[in-house]
Amino acid sequence: MKTYFKHIFAVAAVVVLGLSSISAACSPDAKNKKTMKAIELNDAQFKAQIYDYEKNPNEFVFEGELPAIVDFFATWCGPCKMMAPVMDQLSEEYAGKLNVYKVDVDKEQGLAAIFGVRSIPTFVLIPKSGKPQILTGAMGIEAMRKIINENLIK
């Protein structure tokens, strides 16, 4: 009999938690809260927002208005999956000061080749003026903040 009540209690708890999660997601506050995410770019978007390598093949000319980070990743890459929420969080934290983009190396092999991406994740730091810097490997959010603050946000 005790086992029966434990099962009923467990089912009831799951139902209550599920309903509270649904109501929280449907609340006006949840609808009004916007969360920024890293923006995935294809080749055409990259040329319009970052660098038109066809128009300027010998010199990097930044097309953007804000400094940017481009995360070259793959969907199958474990370290890339670890970095995805970090990049989304940074996109939210630095909204209006920095753009955070991502490029899938499997879909956009030409873009990866332009920057010599040989391992992933690779991050291209693009200041508003000057040359881009390339970093490779996963890192924590504090390390990324430090890199952003020292190299992109001055």
Side-chain angles (χ1 to χ4, degrees), residues 29 36 45 49 52 95 97 102 120:
D29 291 338
M36 300 291 296
Q45 294 165 325
Q49 297 178 42
D52 188 341
K97 298 177 187 175
K102 57 186 183 177
I120 49 175

Side-chain angles (χ1 to χ4, degrees), residues 1 10 12 14 38 57 67 69 71 92 96 100 117 119 122 133 139:
M1 191 72 159
V14 168
I69 295 179
D71 174 9
E92 190 172 322
V100 180
V117 174
S119 65
T122 291
Q133 298 175 337
M139 61 192 81

Side-chain angles (χ1 to χ4, degrees), residues 40-51:
E40 187 168 346
L41 299 176
N42 63 26
D43 186 69
Q45 294 165 325
F46 186 91
K47 286 191 275 189
Q49 297 178 42
I50 305 293
Y51 167 51

